[in-house]
Amino acid sequence: MLALVGEHRSNAEIGARLFISVRTVETHVSSLLRKLGVPDRRALASVAGELARAERSSEALASLPSPLTSFVGRKHERVALGEAIRAHRQVTAVGPGGVGKTRLALAVAADAMTEFADSMWFVDLVPVTDPAMVAGSVAAALGVGEQQSRSLAESVVSALADRRALLVLDNCEHVRDGVTPLVERLLAGCPRLAVLVTSRTRLMVPFEHVLSVPPLSVDGDGGESDAVALFVDRAAAVGWTVAPEQRGQVTDVCRKLDGNALAIELAAARLPTVGLDGLVAGLSDHLRLLVGGRRADERHSSARAMLDWSVGLLTSADLTLFRRIAVFVAPFTVEAAVQVAGFPPLEQPDTVADGLARLVEQSLLGAAPSSGSTRYRALETIRQYGMEQLVDAGDLADARSRHLRWCLATAADLAQEVQPAIGSWRVRFDAVADDIRAALGWAADQPDHRAEAGALAQSLADMAFARNLAGESQERYEQVAALTDDSGDGAAAALRSAAGVAASRMRGDDTYRLRRAAADVARRAGDTASAARDLATAATAFYRMSGVFARLPLPGEAAALLVTARELAGDDPAAQAAVALAECGVLGDAFYADQAESQTTASGTTALAERAVDLARQLDDPLPECAALDALTGAQHLAGDSFAAAATARRRVDLLSSVPVTPASAFELVDTLVMAAETSIGVGDLHAARRWGRQLRDLPLLAEEGHFATSRLLVAEALAGEVDHTITDSDRFLDSWTHAGRPRAASLGTPAAAVAMIHGLRGDDDAQAEWLAVVDELGVPPDRKAGYSPTLEAIVLLHRGRAVLAFERLAAGPDEPAPGKWLAWIWLHWYMALRAEAAVLAAHPDARNHLAAAGAVVAGNPIGTAIVRRAEALLDHDREQLLATAPAFDAAGCPYQAARTLILAGGDDGELGAKALTDLGLAPVASPLDESMRWEIRS
């Protein structure tokens, strides 16, 4: 209530929004005035605004990581960086490792939460080893899912396009090549966005404003310096109190550490072990050793000085261990360290385990319990230092090779648990995924490890698919193909897997491209039959996935692929079956374009589809048979046989009931559920449509494709009149589609139009218009929109008593010559039944003939038949027959039409119907017998 007052809504508007009376609104507003102690409604709105702003600020602050220690000092830098992010759209905080860039950035972001209260995100790029994965990490932080026909970078730009937001990208130096182009695109496409980057190096781009983060001040200006204050604070955290007489020694320590924040923190942590005297003595020795040394460069001198001292205190064995474990980029276990670092002189497992404990004690490693074991991790600055040490020691190749073998073995173990999912394999995968990616990144560039890289990429692709990381899975399968000698089937098989994943993600362009690439590889290897299958499958994708292409190739291109596929197929049964399926699309489309008589067209396409099914069934493989049955479903719809189409769709469901979900089967599973839901709608089986629609919505494969996952369920819910469910699922649809960048996808026009219909029945014209605008934004071609728009719009018009307009909207029916293909799809029965009812309610002179025509078409459809019988009862003034249709609607799962029947009956039944309509959340039905709307008067 308070929020709506804050939006300056009237009492009537608030009542309508909350479904309560105006008097109840007045009561609540009076109560709010009294409880909040404000004099009038204007003051109440002001309070609401303040609370909303506070809530947004709280949400922005909550999006930042919570520091585990207090922030000390940095007053001047904090002010300077805060002013910089307000004055410049991109600011880079530059400084050496460990200087405190991240903590400063977090503090400044928290200070600026009111200026960027719209949204604020923090993205730590430490785990990212591949610059190409930067956009994915940012997308994950923003909650942006996979998208149709767009890159992740485009999705991120779309998500931030109109926000006054701050994006903090932390630790960017190792992936600068991925950060720079992403930031440039963000600044170009998001005019209200500010980006704060922390890095050891500048991005080196014209739009960058650089602010150098200096070391902490050592000499205080009339007071305690920042460096000393930090040391004292961290010393107290480990139970060491710095006495006043020791402040001079502390200042000396901080000076010798060059004011490096991380070095100071590590030094303070060592106090309980070595004491302040030992600390001072140790630092002095090692700093003198580094002065003038070959690695004492300006960028790294402070961090290296501190770390050189730290590792200088290690034994030879611990130093070797420290270097070798630097290959881990994610937290690791003792067992992993033994396998990677446990070679001479560390071949004894106890040596590694004891050494890890000592490294933790030396603050060179962190240790934390995880899933019953302890995991170790070095701070990134320390890990990078260790890698340099590993190179200098000449152990890099051995450690990397052992790390690669460990990743291969770990991936092999995990692969045993993927199908079916055993225990917590997903948690285990998440824990090692970054290491697997890092090992793969190294091995892929090593000629001697190319085969191992290919095997690891294959494992990662398989596991990423099982983990529902479909985008990465597709990428890794393509990487497998790049790493595999294309003289055999390995590269082609990987490209087919990539194409299968792309299809399951509804990426038509990628599916088409990858299948053609697989064909090229197969032809070079001399496997003409496989090449024929790939080319035919690419041609088939042109038609089956036409609604999810960003840019559909010219039809002639698919026809050319079919010609080549025929030439290569030979007598291979699988190739012949694939060619036959492609002919259903290419030749069927030609039939439709060239034939004047719809029956000839339907006959031709049905014959093609039946041949494809026969050939596929001979293969004893459910996947090609399922694909061929999809073609038969379309042909049966085109022939007007909706019941046969629904039965064929159910055959597909049964066929795949025991097929595991793999890259090869994923698309068929998704498409099968889509067709089962759609065909059930077509024959009036809303119970089945909702069942298949829910299965599609809950399919893990589509976890990041909520707009597609909810699409078919939305249509069934809307036709049933289930307002609450429709609105809930439409919110998920809209959120997911928006996060995906609002891509064009003709196949999503129907659910958007169905949601618009529901809002029309609710009497919410603004919401109806918004969803109709979504239909337009989806880029639905006019012929496809003509399949469902007249039907859904007629339902609203009939609800509002506009029977003549409804009839006119349905006038060009499917019984006319050369009907539209999409009108003969799932909407034939609904179209005919509603047209007959509109004709009756509009007193059309040919209403009786329309009833007869509709009755012949919808026979066997429980909802269509009930609509026709209800219309016939209205025409005959048969109230008993009219009321008899209400239970039929209820039994068919269509409470909206049941309520409308009672309203049409009038009297006490009409009052019951009006209450049922209100309970559904719909607006009252207007009188359909308004004399001003009768056909003869309109004529």
Side-chain angles (χ1 to χ4, degrees):
M1 183 73 68
L2 183 59
L4 292 172
V5 171
E7 294 175 8
H8 302 285
R9 304 281 185 176
S10 68
N11 287 351
E13 290 173 326
I14 294 174
R17 177 72 67 88
L18 301 182
F19 300 96
I20 58 179
S21 69
V22 172
R23 183 177 295 278
T24 302
V25 175
E26 292 171 351
T27 300
H28 284 304
V29 170
S30 297
S31 178
L32 284 169
L33 291 170
R34 182 176 65 256
K35 290 180 178 180
L36 296 178
V38 293
D40 53 32
R41 194 182 185 98
R42 174 179 294 181
L44 191 61
S46 177
V47 170
E50 292 173 1
L51 290 174
R53 285 190 294 274
E55 182 178 0
R56 290 196 301 272
S57 296
S58 176
E59 291 173 351
L61 185 59
S63 68
L64 300 176
S66 298
L68 300 179
T69 57
S70 60
F71 183 79
V72 177
R74 295 286 193 192
K75 177 180 178 181
H76 298 298
E77 294 90 339
R78 193 168 181 169
V79 171
L81 186 56
E83 291 176 348
I85 64 171
R86 293 174 179 86
H88 305 279
R89 296 193 56 218
Q90 195 273 305
V91 179
T92 302
V94 175
V99 79
K101 301 182 295 294
T102 298
R103 293 301 308 274
L104 178 61
L106 286 172
V108 169
D111 293 341
M113 62 184 178
T114 54
E115 288 86 346
F116 299 97
D118 193 3
S119 46
M120 186 177 290
W121 290 276
F122 179 91
V123 184
D124 183 8
L125 296 178
V126 166
V128 179
T129 57
D130 183 356
M133 299 295 289
V134 170
S137 296
V138 177
L142 268 61
V144 174
E146 296 282 352
Q147 55 181 317
Q148 295 177 0
S149 308
R150 286 178 181 263
S151 67
L152 278 174
E154 289 169 334
S155 293
V156 171
V157 172
S158 177
L160 297 175
D162 59 350
R163 300 208 183 195
R164 174 58 175 158
L166 175 65
L167 177 63
V168 182
L169 300 179
D170 192 40
N171 295 299
C172 298
E173 57 274 357
H174 60 301
V175 286
R176 186 174 62 177
D177 291 344
V179 170
T180 300
L182 176 63
V183 170
E184 186 170 6
R185 295 182 70 174
L186 285 171
L187 296 179
C190 311
R192 303 176 64 210
L193 177 70
V195 179
L196 173 57
V197 167
T198 74
S199 178
R200 295 185 184 185
T201 60
R202 293 178 291 162
L203 299 183
M204 301 294 289
V205 288
F207 52 79
E208 180 183 34
H209 180 82
V210 178
L211 190 145
S212 178
V213 181
L216 292 170
S217 61
V218 177
D219 298 311
D221 184 13
E224 190 175 71
S225 70
D226 287 347
V228 171
L230 179 64
F231 187 98
V232 171
D233 181 86
R234 299 305 189 255
V238 296
W240 184 282
T241 301
V242 176
E245 63 272 16
Q246 294 177 317
R247 295 297 173 109
Q249 284 183 298
V250 171
T251 300
D252 190 42
V253 169
C254 294
R255 184 178 291 110
K256 290 177 179 179
L257 290 174
D258 291 331
N260 184 279
L262 179 58
I264 290 170
E265 290 185 331
L266 290 172
R270 301 304 300 166
L271 283 173
T273 304
V274 301
L276 188 55
D277 291 340
L279 193 62
V280 172
L283 284 173
S284 297
D285 290 340
H286 289 280
L287 285 174
R288 281 197 302 270
L289 206 68
L290 283 172
V291 172
R294 64 183 180 86
R295 293 179 294 179
D297 60 78
E298 182 178 352
R299 292 175 302 160
H300 301 285
S301 59
S302 297
R304 183 169 289 116
M306 179 270 298
L307 289 168
D308 277 345
W309 163 78
S310 297
V311 300
L313 299 177
L314 299 177
T315 65
S316 176
D318 287 352
L319 178 57
T320 299
L321 177 62
F322 170 73
R323 291 194 298 254
R324 292 176 180 177
I325 61 173
V327 297
F328 288 105
V329 298
F332 57 92
T333 63
V334 171
E335 292 77 11
V338 168
Q339 294 183 47
V340 172
F343 59 98
L346 306 178
E347 61 270 27
Q348 296 299 321
D350 289 347
T351 304
V352 174
D354 293 343
L356 290 175
R358 286 190 293 272
L359 291 176
V360 172
E361 178 64 23
Q362 294 287 343
S363 298
L364 291 170
L365 281 182
S370 175
S371 301
S373 64
T374 299
R375 288 189 174 271
Y376 300 89
R377 183 179 186 180
L379 296 175
E380 179 62 14
T381 300
I382 298 174
R383 191 192 72 82
Q384 291 184 5
Y385 176 87
M387 286 296 295
E388 293 179 358
Q389 295 284 307
L390 188 63
V391 172
D392 291 344
D395 273 353
L396 179 64
D398 286 340
R400 282 288 200 189
S401 297
R402 292 177 68 92
H403 182 248
L404 174 62
R405 289 195 294 273
W406 172 76
C407 288
L408 282 165
T410 301
D413 288 342
L414 285 172
Q416 301 300 316
E417 302 178 4
V418 171
Q419 293 292 348
I422 298 175
S424 57
W425 84 264
R426 291 180 176 84
V427 175
R428 291 183 59 206
F429 169 77
D430 291 344
V432 300
D434 284 331
D435 271 301
I436 292 175
R437 294 174 183 124
L440 176 56
W442 174 78
D445 293 331
Q446 306 297 315
D448 293 343
H449 293 286
R450 189 176 180 86
E452 292 166 296
L456 190 58
Q458 180 75 46
S459 294
L460 183 54
D462 294 340
M463 289 187 293
F465 179 79
R467 192 66 180 87
N468 300 317
L469 301 173
E472 181 176 7
S473 178
Q474 178 185 329
E475 177 188 346
R476 298 304 178 186
Y477 281 124
E478 294 191 54
Q479 187 176 18
V480 172
L483 291 168
T484 304
D485 184 354
D486 64 8
S487 62
D489 188 53
L495 289 168
R496 291 178 195 118
S497 292
V501 178
S504 73
R505 300 171 64 215
M506 300 297 129
R507 298 324 196 252
D509 307 74
D510 283 352
T511 306
Y512 185 76
R513 168 181 62 83
L514 291 165
R515 274 292 181 174
R516 295 194 63 178
D520 291 340
V521 173
R523 292 185 75 175
R524 288 196 296 270
D527 188 354
T528 56
S530 294
R533 292 198 301 272
D534 290 323
L535 290 174
T537 304
T540 300
F542 177 93
Y543 293 96
R544 291 188 73 185
M545 303 185 69
S546 62
V548 290
F549 271 76
R551 176 179 292 180
L552 198 65
L554 295 174
E557 191 172 309
L561 294 180
L562 176 59
V563 171
T564 306
R566 283 197 191 110
E567 295 171 353
L568 297 174
D571 57 0
D572 183 83
Q576 291 178 347
V579 168
L581 180 57
E583 288 174 343
C584 294
V586 176
L587 300 183
D589 193 58
F591 282 161
Y592 180 76
D594 296 340
Q595 300 295 331
E597 294 297 328
S598 60
Q599 189 59 41
T600 302
T601 303
S603 173
T605 55
T606 300
L608 288 172
E610 288 175 342
R611 177 174 178 270
V613 172
D614 288 341
L615 290 173
R617 187 178 293 117
Q618 296 172 25
L619 301 176
D620 195 27
D621 184 343
L623 295 181
E625 183 178 353
C626 185
L629 288 173
D630 176 62
L632 181 59
T633 303
Q636 290 165 334
H637 265 307
L638 189 59
D641 195 345
S642 300
F643 295 105
T648 301
R650 289 193 294 273
R651 283 174 60 190
R652 295 180 68 195
V653 174
D654 295 339
L655 194 62
L656 297 184
S657 61
S658 59
V659 174
V661 181
T662 66
S665 66
F667 173 70
E668 287 303 328
L669 175 60
V670 171
D671 188 67
T672 293
L673 292 175
V674 168
M675 293 306 302
E678 287 191 347
T679 55
S680 295
I681 291 170
V683 297
D685 189 352
L686 293 185
H687 293 298
R690 288 196 292 273
R691 182 170 66 253
W692 304 130
R694 282 191 291 269
Q695 287 189 29
L696 185 68
R697 180 196 62 191
D698 300 335
L699 199 64
L701 275 172
L702 299 177
E704 296 179 343
E705 304 286 345
H707 45 301
F708 187 84
T710 58
S711 58
R712 273 55 184 182
L713 180 59
L714 275 173
V715 180
E717 290 171 339
L719 289 172
E722 296 177 345
V723 176
D724 291 342
H725 291 304
T726 302
I727 292 178
T728 298
D729 285 327
S730 71
D731 287 342
R732 180 185 173 190
F733 176 101
L734 191 59
D735 288 345
S736 174
W737 181 59
T738 300
H739 284 156
R742 302 174 79 91
R744 293 167 65 87
S747 65
L748 300 180
T750 309
V755 177
M757 180 202 76
I758 275 291
H759 287 297
L761 296 178
R762 295 176 67 232
D764 190 339
D765 292 343
D766 291 341
Q768 182 184 20
E770 290 172 2
W771 278 92
L772 291 175
V774 169
V775 176
D776 293 335
E777 195 174 345
L778 286 164
V780 185
D783 64 327
R784 189 161 187 157
K785 189 184 296 186
Y788 55 80
S789 286
T791 300
L792 299 175
E793 291 171 13
I795 290 174
V796 176
L797 289 170
L798 289 171
H799 185 88
R800 297 183 175 185
R802 312 296 297 276
V804 172
L805 291 178
F807 182 83
E808 290 178 347
R809 191 71 181 90
L810 298 166
D815 51 342
E816 301 296 327
K821 176 174 67 172
W822 295 106
L823 186 56
W825 194 241
I826 69 169
W827 297 103
L828 178 63
H829 291 191
W830 292 86
Y831 193 104
M832 294 292 288
L834 290 167
R835 187 172 68 163
E837 180 171 273
V840 170
L841 293 175
H844 190 282
D846 205 22
R848 188 73 66 180
N849 289 333
H850 283 299
L851 284 171
V857 170
V858 305
N861 180 322
I863 296 176
T865 299
I867 292 174
V868 171
R869 289 178 177 172
R870 180 175 66 191
E872 187 176 20
L874 287 169
L875 185 62
D876 295 338
H877 305 288
D878 188 340
R879 191 170 187 276
E880 182 177 350
Q881 177 62 30
L882 175 64
L883 288 171
T885 63
F889 286 120
D890 275 328
C894 195
Y896 165 67
Q897 292 293 351
R900 190 165 180 274
T901 298
L902 298 177
I903 292 171
L904 288 170
D908 293 340
D909 295 302
E911 292 180 3
L912 291 175
K915 183 181 183 304
L917 214 59
T918 300
D919 292 342
L920 287 173
L922 299 174
V925 172
S927 172
L929 302 178
D930 185 342
E931 289 296 323
S932 66
M933 298 305 298
R934 280 186 176 277
W935 177 266
E936 55 265 34
I937 297 177
R938 179 68 181 272
S939 299

